[in-house]
Amino acid sequence: AQKITQTQPGMFVQEKEAVTLDCTYDTSDPSYGLFWYKQPSSGEMIFLIYQGSYDQQNATEGRYSLNFQKARKSANLVISASQLGDSAMYFCAMREGLGNQFYFGTGTSLTVIP
Amino acid sequence: EPEVTQTPSHQVTQMGQEVILRCVPISNHLYFYWYRQILGQKVEFLVSFYNNEISEKSEIFDDQFSVERPDGSNFTLKIRSTKLEDSAMYFCASRETVNQPQHFGDGTRLSIL
């Protein structure tokens, strides 16, 4: 089974609108961390937001928030007030327990339309 | 803000040759990683390194690959006898502690001819 599943290969959003990028994960370890990264067309990987499995509140970082639903094993990224510069690939990733390996999803390509 | 730096940004190598990809992790970070991303595909874990030894490696990381921390700052990935399918973007990453995110370098695009 895939550790991280991103079911939306491509998404479009109107500028200034909010968009939700889906991510579900699979682990039996009670301790894990969930991460979102942005990869613009230039190729670099940019860390956006982190959610720990024991965190009581959903993580937020500026226009990014993480809709963490533990029972559903989902960690959706919400981008509010989309900007043209948000157009990029977005990867969800997970670290299990104290392990060193990060598991990445296949990514979602987001296009912001002016 | 401190960054992970990778050199070169683009490496072109003949098939069968050895290549060394270089990374300078963030100075106070303790955990180091190499990933690869074949064009248009997801990021794949290769290896993690902690306390001067490999802590985890994937199936991709076979005998063709090796990593080294030759001094206090550099972290290298060596690929022996490169193959066409080694063409990919290779990312180095580092993190400070277990609960911190990984910070990625800008990657080295490796093209095998």
Side-chain angles (χ1 to χ4, degrees):
Chain A
Q2 293 291 325
K3 293 284 187 182
I4 293 287
T5 302
Q6 293 179 255
T7 58
Q8 306 155 313
M11 290 281 286
F12 292 85
V13 64
Q14 204 75 40
E15 193 178 6
K16 300 180 185 177
E17 298 291 311
V19 64
T20 298
L21 307 183
D22 294 342
C23 172
T24 56
Y25 58 92
D26 180 31
T27 182
S28 56
D29 198 312
S31 174
Y32 51 89
L34 298 159
F35 305 80
W36 278 92
Y37 288 85
K38 172 184 178 182
Q39 187 178 41
S41 57
S42 48
E44 69 266 33
M45 294 284 283
I46 303 166
F47 166 71
L48 296 178
I49 196 166
Y50 162 77
Q51 180 85 44
S53 59
Y54 295 119
D55 292 346
Q56 294 296 313
Q57 293 190 332
N58 287 345
T60 60
E61 288 284 348
R63 294 187 298 110
Y64 304 109
S65 60
L66 205 151
N67 184 2
F68 181 44
Q69 299 190 41
K70 201 168 181 177
R72 292 185 176 183
K73 293 190 174 180
S74 73
N76 299 338
L77 176 70
V78 181
I79 305 174
S80 62
S82 298
Q83 301 171 356
L84 296 178
D86 294 334
S87 294
M89 282 290 287
Y90 289 80
F91 291 95
C92 180
M94 177 178 69
R95 170 195 49 79
E96 282 185 309
L98 298 179
N100 276 316
Q101 183 168 167
F102 276 43
Y103 300 92
F104 281 80
T106 51
T108 295
S109 175
L110 177 67
T111 302
V112 180
I113 304 166
Chain B
E1 186 175 327
E3 293 181 338
V4 176
T5 57
Q6 289 186 244
T7 55
S9 56
H10 190 191
Q11 174 83 43
V12 182
T13 301
Q14 290 286 335
M15 186 173 61
Q17 297 296 306
E18 176 183 284
V19 65
I20 297 176
L21 309 182
R22 302 181 190 280
C23 170
V24 179
I26 295 173
S27 62
N28 64 332
H29 285 191
L30 302 177
Y31 300 83
F32 313 118
Y33 306 83
W34 282 102
Y35 292 85
R36 81 172 184 192
Q37 185 181 30
I38 295 171
L39 185 63
Q41 299 186 22
K42 69 175 180 180
V43 178
E44 299 174 292
F45 169 78
L46 292 178
V47 65
S48 61
F49 194 86
Y50 171 72
N51 202 25
N52 285 320
E53 61 183 19
I54 291 173
S55 48
E56 289 185 54
K57 60 183 180 179
S58 71
E59 293 175 353
I60 303 168
F61 194 88
D62 59 21
D63 292 342
Q64 182 194 9
F65 295 90
S66 62
V67 290
E68 198 175 39
R69 189 156 163 81
D71 52 43
S73 59
N74 290 285
F75 179 51
T76 62
L77 174 69
K78 182 189 290 185
I79 309 174
R80 286 179 282 275
S81 189
T82 49
K83 299 174 283 197
L84 293 176
E85 52 266 38
D86 294 328
S87 295
M89 182 76 96
Y90 287 81
F91 289 101
C92 174
S94 69
R95 63 177 168 138
E96 185 177 358
T97 63
V98 165
N99 289 325
Q100 294 296 312
Q102 295 184 6
H103 294 266
F104 284 76
D106 288 347
T108 293
R109 184 171 299 283
L110 177 63
S111 300
I112 307 300
L113 304 180

